Amino acid sequence: GNYVGPLRPQVHFSPPQGFMNDPNGMFLDADGLYHLYYQYNPTDVVAGNQHWGHATSRDLYYWTNQQIALFPGGPNEGIFSGSAVVDVNNTSGFFPNQTNGVVAIYTLNTPERQTQDIAYSYDGGYTFIKYENNPVIPSNSTQFRDPKVFWHAPTEHWVMVIAYCVDFEIGIFTSPNLIDWTPTSNFTRHGTLGLQYECPNLVEMPMDGSNSTMWLLWISINPGAPLGGSITEYFPGTFNGTHFAAVDAATRLTDFAKDNYAGQFFGGIPGGQNQISINWASNWQYTNVVPTGDEGWRSVMSLPRENYLTNLTRIGYALISKPYNISRVVESELAYNSSLGNGTVFVDYSSVPSGALYFEANVTGLADSSSVDGSVNFTFTSSSTGESISGGTFLASGDIWLNRGNTRWENPYFTDKFSATGLYDGAGAWRISGVVDRSIVEVFLNDGELSASSVFFPSAPLDQMVLSVKGINEITTTSVGVWALSSSWL
Ligand code: FRU
C-alpha cells in the first residue's frame, strides 16, 4: 500500500489518502470483525466533502480498507458523524430475512440545517441504502448533530444521545425501531462548556474489581478546550433508560495532552467487559495544516483503548484508559532489564521496519513516595537531525510530563509541553508506559490512570531511544523493557 511515508503511523489507523476526522459507526459484528467508519474527505487533505470511510479489523491493529460506505447526495451535503448498530431482531423492519442487518444513524449536514438520517445495509455494513423517508429526526437547527445509538436491554428500546451543540445540551431520545424517535430528557450545561458540545457517547462501564457497572457520558468540546481547541470530558453517573444523572459536578478530562477528540465506543462488546474506544488523535486548532498533508493524507486515530471506571481514594471516580491488547503487535524485545536500579537503557531502532516501539518502566518497592526523589524519563531522538520528543514521571509527586516541542513544526496552537499529576495510592508501585509510532506518541501512567495522545512531526524519523531511571533508593527496583512493534501496513 501507500502507507510508507516517514510520518505514517504503523500501529495506528490512518486513512488511505485524503483527510480523516471523527471515528463513526463503530461496531463489532457477530463474526468477530470490528467495523470502523470515519469522517472522510477522499479528495483533499483538509476537512470538507464529508463521507463515511470504512475499514475492518479482527484485532484493531491490522486494518483492511474498505470501499467508502456513505456518500453525500450532492455538493452541499455532508454525511456528518454518527453511529451504527446491528439490528439483530429486525426492529426496523428492514431485515426480514437476516440477523446481520446494519443501520447507520448519522447527521445530514446542509447549509440550511442538520437532520438525523438513517441508512440500512443488507451486507453487514459494506454498502448502505439511504432510508426513503429521511430524516428520522427533522430539525431547522444548524447545530444539532452526532447521534450515538445503542440498545438498552432493561427497557427494550434504542437510546440515542445527540448534541444540541451551542445550547450545551445532550438530548436523549428513545425508539422502538430506529425510525420513530421520542425525546425523553436533556443533560444540560455540565462540566467545561467550551463553545460547543459535540459527539456524545453514553456507555455502561464495568467498575474495576467488582461485578457492578456505572454509566459514563462523554462529550467532546470544541473549540474552547482548556489547552485550546478540542478535548473530551466525561461524567460517571447513572442511567435508567431515559435519564442520565452525573455522580458529581466535577469536570474530568480523558487526556492530559490535546490530541484526543470525538472518540467513540464500539457497539456489540459483550456485557461486563471493558469497553473499547477509538479517538481521533488530532485537534481542530491545527488539524487542517499538519505536515502529513505532504504525504497525501491527514489525521490518525488513537490506539484502540480498553476502558473501565475505578474509584480512587482522593478524587473519586476516574476513567482508566489503556491500549487494548498491545501484545498483538509486540514483535521483538529490543531491551529488557528486570532490575535496572538507577541506570540507562539505550536503544538504536533504526533497523525496526515499522519505526514503532512499545516501552514500559515498572517501579516497585517505593517505601514512602514522599521520601523518594526518583524519576523515570524517556527521549526519542532522530540521529540525523537531533529532533526529539521526551517525557517522564516524578515518583514523589506522581507528575507525568510530555514534550513534543523539539521537532520542526512551528504552529502557534501546537502546544509543546503537557503535564498532569498522578495519584500515588501508597501501593508502592508505579508504572509508565507508552507507544511511539512515527508521528504519534501515547503515554500511560499506572496502566491508564492518566493518558495522553500527542502527534508530532519530525523532519527525519526518530530512531534512537533512551530510557533512564534516576534517584531511586536501594529498596526500590525498576524493570524496564522496550519492544519493536510489527506493522499493519508494510
Ligand atoms: C467533530 C465534528 C462533528 C461533526 C463532524 C463533521 O469533530 O465537528 O460535530 O459531525 O466533525 O466532520
Side-chain angles (χ1 to χ4, degrees):
N2 64 341
Y3 282 75
V4 293
L7 296 171
R8 267 287 192 186
Q10 298 296 311
V11 298
H12 290 78
F13 180 78
S14 59
Q17 62 184 54
F19 182 88
M20 175 179 81
N21 54 295
D22 317 356
N24 293 150
M26 291 160 52
F27 71 94
L28 172 63
D29 75 19
D31 299 326
L33 193 65
Y34 291 93
H35 292 258
L36 167 67
Y37 305 84
Y38 53 89
Q39 286 292 283
Y40 189 33
N41 182 352
T43 55
D44 200 352
V45 285
V46 294
N49 184 28
Q50 303 299 63
H51 295 57
W52 273 28
H54 183 203
T56 54
S57 175
R58 297 217 163 261
D59 55 22
L60 299 173
Y61 289 99
Y62 283 77
W63 292 98
T64 304
N65 282 315
Q66 303 291 351
Q67 296 302 310
I68 291 172
L70 283 167
F71 295 79
N76 285 327
E77 283 194 359
I79 310 290
F80 272 24
S81 284
S83 49
V85 296
V86 183
D87 188 13
V88 183
N89 295 317
N90 189 29
T91 63
S92 62
F94 297 139
F95 310 112
N97 302 314
Q98 62 185 118
T99 56
N100 70 338
V102 178
V103 175
I105 308 96
Y106 57 91
T107 299
L108 181 69
N109 182 70
T110 62
E112 295 77 36
R113 60 185 64 87
Q114 294 184 331
T115 60
Q116 314 319 314
D117 288 25
I118 63 176
Y120 50 94
S121 170
Y122 294 129
D123 60 5
Y126 295 89
T127 59
F128 286 87
I129 301 163
K130 289 176 185 165
Y131 176 50
E132 299 71 14
N133 297 317
N134 276 330
V136 294
I137 306 183
S139 157
N140 287 317
S141 168
T142 55
Q143 298 287 346
F144 175 49
R145 60 182 176 270
D146 308 335
K148 173 68 169 143
V149 173
F150 62 93
W151 178 252
H152 188 252
T155 53
E156 296 192 308
H157 59 217
W158 298 101
V159 174
M160 174 194 292
V161 284
I162 186 165
Y164 297 96
C165 307
V166 295
D167 300 321
F168 307 109
E169 234 163 59
I170 301 302
I172 300 181
F173 288 67
T174 61
S175 172
N177 57 10
L178 298 164
I179 296 167
D180 303 301
W181 290 95
T182 307
T184 61
S185 68
N186 286 333
F187 180 81
T188 308
R189 284 181 186 264
H190 274 70
T192 296
L193 302 182
L195 292 180
Q196 292 185 114
Y197 279 1
E198 297 184 320
C199 298
N201 274 230
L202 180 59
V203 63
E204 191 171 12
M205 279 283 177
M207 284 296 300
D208 182 23
S210 81
N211 292 327
S212 62
T213 60
M214 272 184 86
W215 287 80
L216 176 124
L217 176 68
W218 83 9
I219 302 174
S220 287
I221 50 172
N222 175 76
L227 295 173
S230 338
I231 204 63
T232 310
E233 61 184 333
Y234 66 93
F235 306 93
T238 55
F239 179 63
N240 63 6
T242 55
H243 292 68
F244 174 81
V247 286
D248 60 28
T251 298
R252 296 171 170 89
L253 301 181
T254 57
D255 201 291
F256 72 86
K258 59 188 282 190
D259 297 313
N260 181 327
Y261 197 64
Q264 207 174 86
F265 288 95
F266 276 100
I269 305 297
Q273 293 188 12
N274 292 344
Q275 295 290 340
I276 302 173
S277 62
I278 291 178
N279 312 309
W280 177 46
S282 193
N283 190 307
W284 281 114
Q285 274 188 327
Y286 44 73
T287 193
N288 282 315
V289 292
V290 298
T292 60
D294 297 347
E295 295 184 7
W297 61 279
R298 273 202 181 104
S299 289
V300 53
M301 294 302 183
S302 72
L303 290 171
R305 299 282 193 86
E306 181 182 336
N307 304 275
Y308 60 90
L309 281 167
T310 194
N311 198 343
L312 297 171
T313 329
R314 182 84 188 277
I315 55 159
Y317 297 105
L319 178 68
I320 306 296
S321 182
K322 58 181 178 178
Y324 171 78
N325 193 23
I326 190 74
S327 60
R328 172 70 182 92
V329 284
V330 167
E331 199 166 56
S332 57
E333 184 182 292
L334 301 178
Y336 187 76
N337 189 325
S338 62
S339 56
L340 181 66
N342 293 307
T344 296
V345 167
F346 173 83
V347 176
D348 178 334
Y349 63 101
S350 52
S351 61
V352 171
S354 67
L357 301 187
Y358 172 73
F359 68 93
E360 59 180 48
N362 302 290
V363 181
T364 50
L366 286 173
D368 168 356
S369 69
S370 61
S371 71
V372 177
D373 189 24
S375 65
V376 178
N377 300 289
F378 61 84
T379 307
F380 291 82
T381 308
S382 164
S383 59
S384 58
T385 64
E387 291 162 291
S388 65
I389 58 161
S390 53
T393 180
F394 291 93
L395 302 174
S397 61
D399 287 356
I400 182 171
W401 59 278
L402 186 63
N403 181 358
R404 62 178 173 180
N406 187 30
T407 48
R408 69 165 159 173
W409 198 51
E410 296 282 340
N411 177 289
Y413 301 114
F414 200 63
T415 312
D416 57 357
K417 296 190 190 73
F418 306 99
S419 67
T421 300
L423 284 171
Y424 183 67
D425 64 359
W430 206 254
R431 161 184 286 206
I432 185 168
S433 57
V435 169
V436 171
D437 186 8
R438 295 192 180 195
S439 60
I440 179 169
V441 55
E442 298 195 52
V443 293
F444 302 90
L445 189 68
N446 294 342
D447 277 328
E449 274 177 28
L450 290 173
S451 59
S453 303
S454 237
V455 292
F456 59 93
F457 307 100
S459 57
L462 305 187
D463 55 4
Q464 296 183 341
M465 177 200 195
V466 173
L467 183 61
S468 64
V469 181
K470 292 196 284 222
I472 59 169
N473 57 32
E474 329 61 71
I475 57 165
T476 308
T477 62
T478 316
S479 75
V480 299
V482 182
W483 291 266
L485 300 181
S486 59
S487 171
S488 333
W489 302 109
L490 293 181

